[in-house]
């Protein structure tokens, strides 16, 4: 049977125990979808699964402000990152919020007619470019932790999805049809429109720190800190030269997508780990079977590949986050 997974075979969620089982139980209740592949693909590494879910939950689902607005921010991020799976998912979730006309207008490639909605979508797109001028915010300053957390969560999730899942949200790309999008949205509408209690995901984490200043005093901060710690731990899969190469590449990155011919990228044969990490950061949809095979050896499990991809993905997130100039934007 075909699966949505590329390069790995995650364990069956039905066999999950302990913290992994607790995460999937909370996802089913608060996201409205049991065992979504977006998170199943991380389940071979529970220490990544829990904070990835926590950051999305505490920002997109339980954060302050309009769920429609945060969905638009996440959609903007997903479009900027060329992640059709996530872009389609957020279109479906806009149906779930009850914004059916907006969802269909965006599904056809349109721009929101509502000026506030258009500004939020554009803001989400612009977050891909490190150092981009993101102020003034298209939302109240007190909602910044929720919106910034949502944007950064999806800069991570987009990269995981593009690297390790196919582009099809539904079998046969059924989400192409308006009736299917609407029906899928309505199936989770009750959950999406229900208020979620902030902080409920934090007990799933291992003693996180308070997180960055822009999320101070909110559950978004510890969730971000936990994901940062877990994802960057994947650096142990690269040697010192690889790490230097990844960091230098990310520092020079201007937010663009690489050309068809990947000039200047680490060589697959000489530096396969660095190549996978850099691709995960800048163009995860360009990771091929050949790239993975060049890195694979008997000691390198699916869990190791997930950790390596997560490291590259979060290296890009950190590059974006550290150049957001948040204090200036909130002044």
């Amino acid at each position: 049977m075909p699966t949505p997974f590329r390069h790995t075979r995650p364990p069956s969620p039905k066999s999950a125990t302990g913290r992994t089982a607790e995460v999937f139980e909370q996802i089913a209740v608060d996201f409205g979808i049991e065992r979504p592949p977006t998170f199943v693909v991380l389940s071979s590494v529970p220490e990544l699964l829990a904070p990835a879910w926590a950051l999305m939950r505490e920002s997109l689902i339980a954060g302050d402000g309009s769920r429609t607005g945060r969905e638009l921010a996440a959609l903007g991020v997903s479009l900027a990152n060329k992640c059709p799976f996530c872009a389609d998912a957020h279109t479906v979730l806009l149906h779930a919020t009850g914004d059916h006309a907006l969802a269909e207008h965006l599904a056809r490639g349109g721009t929101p007619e509502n000026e506030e909605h258009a500004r939020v979508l554009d803001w989400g797109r612009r977050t891909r470019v490190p150092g981009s001028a993101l102020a003034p915010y298209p939302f109240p300053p007190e909602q910044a932790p929720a919106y910034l957390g949502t944007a950064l969560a999806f800069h991570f999730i987009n990269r995981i999805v593009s690297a390790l899942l196919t582009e099809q949200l539904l079998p046969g790309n059924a989400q192409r049809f308006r009736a299917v999008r609407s029906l899928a949205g309505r199936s989770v509408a009750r959950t999406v429109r229900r208020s979620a209690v902030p902080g409920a995901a934090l007990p799933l984490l291992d003693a996180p720190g308070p997180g960055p200043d822009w999320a101070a005093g909110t559950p978004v901060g510890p969730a971000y800190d936990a994901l940062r710690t877990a994802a960057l731990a994947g650096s142990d899969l690269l040697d010192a030269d690889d790490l230097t190469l990844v960091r230098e590449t990310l520092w020079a990155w201007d937010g663009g997508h690489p050309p068809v011919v990947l000039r200047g990228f680490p060589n697959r044969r000489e530096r396969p780990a660095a190549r996978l990490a850099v691709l995960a950061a800048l163009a995860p949809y360009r990771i091929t079977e050949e790239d993975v095979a060049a890195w694979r050896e008997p000691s390198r499990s699916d869990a190791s590949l997930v950790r390596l991809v997560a490291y590259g993905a979060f290296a890009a997130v950190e590059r974006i986050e550290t150049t957001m100039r948040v204090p200036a934007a909130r002044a």
Side-chain angles (χ1 to χ4, degrees):
M1 291 288 290
T3 77
F5 306 108
R6 301 171 63 229
H7 311 308
T8 72
R9 294 182 179 179
S12 170
K14 294 180 181 179
S15 66
T17 60
R19 178 167 55 169
T20 300
E22 292 177 21
V23 171
F24 282 126
E25 288 172 8
Q26 194 172 88
I27 288 173
V29 171
D30 288 342
F31 195 40
I33 302 171
E34 291 192 4
R35 302 183 288 274
T38 313
F39 292 103
V40 172
V41 75
L42 294 171
S43 62
S44 61
V45 190
E47 63 268 29
L48 275 171
L49 170 65
W53 158 247
L55 181 57
M56 193 189 86
R57 184 199 184 276
E58 300 304 334
S59 56
L60 176 72
I61 296 173
D64 290 336
S66 159
R67 176 68 181 264
T68 294
R70 295 193 301 278
E71 289 292 345
L72 286 168
L75 175 59
V77 170
S78 301
L79 291 171
N81 289 329
K82 298 185 179 181
C83 182
F85 182 106
C86 292
D88 287 344
H90 293 298
T91 302
V92 166
L93 288 168
L94 283 170
H95 273 290
T97 66
D99 295 287
H100 304 294
L102 174 62
E104 287 308 304
H105 187 64
L106 293 170
R108 294 191 296 271
T111 300
E113 296 178 357
N114 179 290
E115 182 179 351
E116 181 180 344
H117 288 167
R119 290 178 60 220
V120 171
L121 181 67
D122 178 66
W123 179 87
R125 285 181 184 269
R126 288 188 289 110
T127 61
R128 177 176 167 92
V129 180
S132 179
L134 299 177
Y137 289 155
F139 44 80
E142 62 271 18
Q143 295 174 12
Y147 276 90
L148 292 169
T150 294
L152 293 168
F154 281 95
H155 276 297
F156 180 77
I157 290 170
N158 287 170
R159 287 167 168 81
I160 296 296
V161 166
S162 293
L164 301 175
L165 298 182
T166 70
E167 294 185 352
Q168 296 186 18
L169 177 66
L170 297 174
N173 265 337
Q175 74 280 354
R176 292 174 298 173
F177 302 104
R178 176 174 182 164
V180 173
R181 291 192 294 269
S182 178
L183 182 61
R186 292 173 193 276
S187 71
V188 294
R190 180 174 296 180
T191 301
V192 168
R193 299 179 197 182
R194 185 178 64 223
S195 296
V197 177
L202 299 189
L204 299 169
L205 307 178
D206 292 327
D213 289 345
W214 53 261
T218 73
V220 176
Y224 182 87
D225 182 78
L227 181 57
R228 181 184 185 278
T229 299
L232 295 186
S235 64
D236 64 6
L237 295 165
L238 298 99
D239 64 27
D241 289 340
D242 284 341
L243 288 171
T244 297
L245 181 56
V246 173
R247 289 165 181 161
E248 289 178 349
T249 301
L250 264 293
W251 187 251
W253 179 50
D254 63 0
H257 289 269
V260 174
V261 178
L262 294 175
R263 294 187 180 92
F265 274 63
N267 184 277
R268 180 186 298 143
R269 295 178 182 175
E270 297 174 359
R271 310 217 70 87
R275 182 179 178 87
L276 284 171
V278 171
L279 282 171
L282 306 187
Y285 48 84
R286 301 285 294 276
I287 293 176
T288 66
E289 292 287 352
E290 291 77 16
D291 293 319
V292 174
W295 172 81
R296 283 277 199 189
E297 57 183 43
S299 64
R300 291 171 176 166
S301 63
D302 281 357
S304 294
L305 179 60
V306 171
R307 291 182 66 237
L308 180 56
V309 169
Y311 169 77
F314 205 89
V317 173
E318 190 169 49
R319 171 79 171 104
I320 292 167
E321 190 269 341
T322 56
T323 61
M324 276 184 159
R325 302 174 186 172
V326 175
R330 297 185 71 179

